Amino acid sequence: MWVRGLGTLSGSESAIRHDWTRAQVRALFDLPFPDLMFQAQTVHRMHFDPRAVQISTLLSIKTGGCPEDCAYCPQAARYNTGLKAHKLLSVAEVIEKATAAKAAGASRFCMGAAWRSPKDREVAQVAEMVEAVKALGLEACATLGMLSGEQAQTLKSAGLDYYNHNLDTAPEIYGDIIHTRDYQDRLDTLGHVRDAGLKTCCGGIVGMGESRGQRAGLLQTLANLPEHPGSVPINRLVQVEGTPLHGTALLDPFEFVRTIAVARLLMPRSVVRLSAGRAEMSEELQALCFLAGANSIFYGEKLLTTGNPDVEADQALFQRLGLVPMAVEIEPGTVHADVTDDASPSACAA
Ligand code: SAM
Ligand code: DTB
Ligand code: SF4
């Protein structure tokens, strides 16, 4: 099949490429909206059931007081965002939240900590949490900042499935957003994570005042990583008062949908997450994102420190759109949630 902007796709699969040029990615962004949506849908259906949405729940296990200066982040100690900081939670507190997330229908539990890079002793504490989450029959993901190779190994040995570490934006504007570490630090951590045999969860944030060409640059860099990330979270900036990016001009919603569609085209087998920012989106915009190839969400009333749609609202949206939780193999031979014809959105609450 020939697809404008992608060339000839053979058989039932689109090509997995790691050699995208900026001009090629930009050309996809510039397609007429109906063409871009059709192509994204076509590629999505080659690799996924378009009804199936992977469901993750986030928990902030250590909140605020972060020494970094990420201009978007309410957890940076240097910005006055009124956030109530808390120390690392206990394993028992994490088990309680993970149990509730599983009961509500999540298949992956993601633990986030406001660290620049954890100390070895902190990684050991998180490793205990990972073991406990895995024992509940959930996939485990953590996002703790920069990791050494040994730290990534420790987390892998504890049973961690995914490590989230975002590129956040295009390399050429990274230095305008974060000054306390550089792009190469992020690439190095991703290398340690891959070398340890962990799956990567890696994406970025749009709506930080970047241009379309710079959004193309973020997605180009993600797609040209040595392996496509298993999960690609596309966050729309959640504007928090007190952060330098508060007051940034809002991104055209259709441009956000285009970003999802291009991510789907560049990384055909990756799960693309409609990530932060859903609480500020209409249900119609979210539906367009699913049509553009998004097939994952954060589920539960809170992200790390900011709001997310209510569980009941998400269940109702799934029902109205005919979406179902994605089947996920947690352990060999164990299937968490089934995508069957009679699976209903209330399976989220099963
Ligand atoms: N401290 C660790 C780090 O930065 O790697 C892990 C937690 S950090 C909060 C994880 C990611 O959340 C960031 O890389 C960024 O992509 C996303 N994030 C943080 N604040 C956000 C905001 N206001 N809007 C959208 N995404 C945000
Ligand atoms: C990701 O890409 N988005 C999540 C997760 N990875 C850790 C975080 C979103 C944070 C939004 C702002 C907040 O709630 O503090
Ligand atoms: Fe700290 Fe992570 Fe927030 Fe940056 S994004 S300020 S590293 S918590």
Side-chain angles (χ1 to χ4, degrees):
M1 171 174 50
W2 183 82
V3 180
R4 191 188 322 172
L6 289 179
T8 305
L9 302 179
S10 58
S12 61
E13 298 218 327
S14 51
I16 300 297
R17 290 178 48 189
H18 299 272
D19 60 352
W20 291 93
T21 65
R22 186 72 65 99
Q24 287 171 331
V25 179
R26 177 62 199 248
L28 293 175
F29 263 97
D30 291 345
L31 283 170
F33 195 73
D35 286 337
L36 178 59
M37 292 295 276
F38 174 71
Q39 292 180 22
Q41 279 255 324
T42 304
V43 167
H44 190 189
R45 285 164 182 268
M46 286 177 184
H47 299 279
F48 293 99
D49 176 342
R51 299 171 303 164
V53 177
Q54 188 278 328
I55 295 180
S56 293
T57 291
L58 258 178
L59 175 67
S60 180
I61 56 171
K62 186 266 173 192
T63 304
C66 184
E68 299 287 276
D69 75 346
C70 311
Y72 47 77
C73 185
Q75 303 202 63
R78 65 190 74 201
Y79 310 137
N80 188 4
T81 59
L83 182 71
K84 194 165 173 287
H86 69 70
K87 290 189 299 203
L88 189 61
L89 299 181
S90 67
V91 177
E93 286 169 303
V94 171
I95 292 175
E96 186 190 321
K97 299 288 187 186
T99 305
K102 188 178 178 192
S107 62
R108 189 180 306 167
F109 192 67
C110 307
M111 293 166 277
W115 285 319
R116 166 183 164 79
S117 53
K119 299 183 177 71
D120 288 348
R121 139 176 87 72
E122 291 163 338
V123 170
Q125 288 170 291
V126 175
E128 274 186 59
M129 297 173 184
V130 169
E131 281 167 15
V133 167
K134 292 298 294 178
L136 293 173
L138 287 159
E139 286 187 308
C141 177
T143 180
L144 316 172
M146 293 184 282
L147 283 192
S148 68
E150 297 73 46
Q151 292 178 329
Q153 277 295 346
T154 303
L155 292 169
K156 172 72 184 171
S157 302
L160 189 72
D161 297 290
Y162 287 83
Y163 193 76
N164 167 246
H165 201 62
N166 291 336
L167 292 181
D168 277 345
T169 192
E172 67 270 24
I173 50 164
Y174 181 88
D176 299 336
I177 309 282
I178 298 156
H179 309 92
T180 47
R181 63 176 130 159
D182 58 34
Y183 216 67
Q184 190 56 49
D185 292 325
R186 292 194 180 251
L187 296 170
D188 290 347
T189 290
L190 289 167
H192 297 148
V193 167
R194 281 193 305 271
D195 291 348
L198 290 163
K199 288 176 262 196
T200 54
C201 170
C202 183
I205 310 176
V206 294
M208 297 197 292
E210 74 285 340
S211 65
R212 177 178 277 187
Q214 290 159 346
R215 280 185 286 283
L218 166 66
L219 296 186
Q220 178 201 9
T221 314
L222 288 168
N224 289 347
L225 287 169
E227 284 170 22
H228 288 174
S231 292
V232 180
I234 304 295
N235 297 282
R236 191 172 80 168
L237 175 68
V238 179
Q239 298 205 10
V240 179
E241 216 172 320
T243 59
L245 291 182
H246 183 250
T248 304
L250 290 184
L251 184 69
D252 173 4
F254 295 125
E255 189 65 20
F256 184 77
V257 180
R258 282 180 184 274
T259 308
I260 298 270
V262 176
R264 166 53 60 225
L265 290 172
L266 300 190
M267 294 167 279
R269 288 190 199 139
S270 303
V271 164
V272 174
R273 183 173 305 129
L274 170 53
S275 192
R278 278 200 312 122
E280 293 76 34
M281 290 177 199
S282 69
E283 295 189 325
E284 294 87 339
L285 174 57
Q286 293 181 59
L288 271 180
C289 291
F290 294 126
L291 291 178
N295 58 352
S296 171
I297 56 164
F298 280 126
Y299 175 70
E301 80 236 15
K302 217 165 165 201
L303 292 165
L304 289 173
T305 67
T306 63
N308 200 41
D310 293 342
V311 159
E312 295 74 27
D314 277 342
Q315 287 175 4
L317 183 62
F318 270 44
Q319 182 121 47
R320 287 163 73 203
L321 299 179
L323 301 177
V324 293
M326 186 183 285
V328 176
E329 283 215 10
I330 307 291
E331 299 291 344
T334 317
V335 173
H336 167 76
D338 210 358
V339 179
T340 60
D341 283 340
D342 54 320
S344 75
S346 59
C348 290

